Amino acid sequence: MEVRLEHLTKHFGKTAAVEDFNAVLDSGELTCLLGPSGCGKSTILNMLSGIIPVTSGKIWFDNRDVTDLEPADRGIGLVFQNYALYPHMSVLENIAFPLEIKNVAKEERKERAFQMAKLVHVDNYLERKPGQLSGGQQQRVAIARALIKQPDLLLLDEPLSNLDARLRIEMREEIRRIQLETGVTSVFVTHDQEEAMSISDAIILMKLGVKQQEAQPQELYDEPANEFVADFLGTPPINKVFGTIEDGAIRIDSGPLCKISGIDKLPEGHRVHLSIRAESFLINGGQSLMEGDVIRIFVMGKEQLAYLKIGDFEVRAYIDSDQDLKAGDRVKIGLRNKGVFVFDAETGERLR
């Protein structure tokens, strides 16, 4: 099922939680709503579900206007951060409960609940109560309960936030497996860029209720629409140095002149931010060839993370482990073409 959101807006009093939001969620795909706390992503999810009304705009499920429909009439499945399982019921009873409400015959709901339990790998725990399960197992039960209704749209609101780091990785892979096997259109809300990058077909990145960019994960990383997008994605965070356009290049504050392509038409004296991904540095090679100093080096197996000083700025750069560098070395620093961006210092608009 395709989902269309047209000029979706939500105000709480004078506060705009979501402003003029437009998006198309393709049928059968998993879309992540990504962004920092307070950016409006959970508000969008709650409007999709019907839990909160829209201030203005439209929500379409295929060609059906569901903007004013009750949650029960939308054909959705919900998975929350806190699992919301019934503690007095067994795993089987929890999974089957939505069918019990619909007065599905007992044998049919038991059979369907067992099939859902197999899908999410909790079929060995059917008689246990939620309190006897791990966090990951409880989350699997919550997903099975949401899917047993055969929803047209699955909504997951920060479902992994209560799990430890190792289990989060395991569960995000499981959620992706389950989504692919069922083919259900899904919306996954998270503030964790690594989660979003690893399981999404598409990501919508939000800031202060406004969509910043909608794209496939790799495109979002490689071609950020503005400085906020570039800053939000990447580990380690993208390096930022400040400078001024001078003779068709960037004069880094208290540092060298950085010559890169694509900025020759920018006006002289224009203030810019030069943003560079850690993997986009080349020592003694590439374009630019600025001079800098090695501050320290961390060995990370096949590669090293070097801290370099360029002018007044300290940057992090991945370098090959066979490069014999040490703290105090003076080096030539080049840049690849990919992963190097120039933004307007005032507006954050991408200039290169």
Side-chain angles (χ1 to χ4, degrees), residues 76-249:
I76 58 168
L78 277 167
V79 180
F80 299 102
Q81 180 179 341
N82 62 1
Y83 316 135
L85 300 177
Y86 299 105
H88 62 287
M89 292 184 180
S90 68
V91 166
L92 185 67
E93 290 167 338
N94 263 285
I95 296 173
F97 188 68
L99 300 184
E100 185 177 346
I101 294 175
K102 290 186 174 184
N103 295 316
V104 174
K106 184 176 181 179
E107 287 306 312
E108 181 183 348
R109 66 176 186 255
K110 282 181 67 176
E111 175 60 25
R112 286 171 61 180
F114 179 70
Q115 293 302 319
M116 281 296 108
K118 285 181 66 177
L119 176 69
V120 302
H121 297 166
V122 294
D123 47 309
N124 291 328
Y125 310 106
L126 294 178
E127 301 306 317
R128 294 190 186 182
K129 299 291 197 296
Q132 298 172 295
L133 303 178
S134 69
Q137 290 165 342
Q138 289 185 55
Q139 192 59 278
R140 291 168 189 265
V141 175
I143 293 169
R145 186 181 60 186
L147 288 172
I148 198 169
K149 297 183 293 182
Q150 298 176 323
D152 296 316
L153 179 65
L154 178 64
L155 304 173
L156 304 108
D157 192 6
E158 305 234 22
L160 309 180
S161 295
N162 292 334
L163 306 179
D164 63 47
R166 188 184 186 101
L167 194 52
R168 285 178 74 145
I169 294 173
E170 177 186 323
M171 277 306 302
R172 75 189 187 206
E173 292 172 350
E174 280 297 287
I175 287 173
R176 183 56 166 162
R177 175 188 65 81
I178 293 163
Q179 189 272 329
L180 288 171
E181 286 189 21
T182 58
V184 62
T185 304
S186 302
V187 179
F188 186 106
V189 165
T190 182
H191 62 273
D192 187 318
Q193 52 137 334
E194 189 176 327
E195 277 180 10
M197 294 287 287
S198 64
I199 68 171
S200 306
D201 293 299
I203 296 174
I204 300 174
L205 183 56
M206 303 283 297
K207 177 187 178 185
L208 298 176
V210 177
K211 181 173 76 173
Q212 301 298 301
Q213 189 171 356
E214 179 179 1
Q216 294 179 350
Q218 196 61 46
E219 180 185 350
L220 206 69
Y221 184 83
D222 290 338
E223 299 294 340
N226 56 44
E227 191 169 15
F228 173 79
V229 178
D231 289 350
F232 197 86
L233 298 174
T235 304
I238 199 165
N239 299 287
K240 295 175 69 172
V241 300
F242 305 155
T244 304
I245 298 299
E246 180 182 313
D247 294 330

Side-chain angles (χ1 to χ4, degrees), residues 279 297-306 317-324 336:
E279 64 270 21
I297 293 197
F298 293 97
V299 178
M300 305 170 67
K302 67 178 181 179
E303 58 191 1
Q304 302 177 81
L305 185 64
Y318 285 121
I319 60 175
D320 292 335
S321 58
D322 58 359
Q323 289 190 277
D324 186 21
R336 303 179 192 275

Side-chain angles (χ1 to χ4, degrees), residues 14 17 24 46 189 221 266 311:
K14 295 182 179 180
V24 176
N46 287 330
V189 165
Y221 184 83
L266 296 181

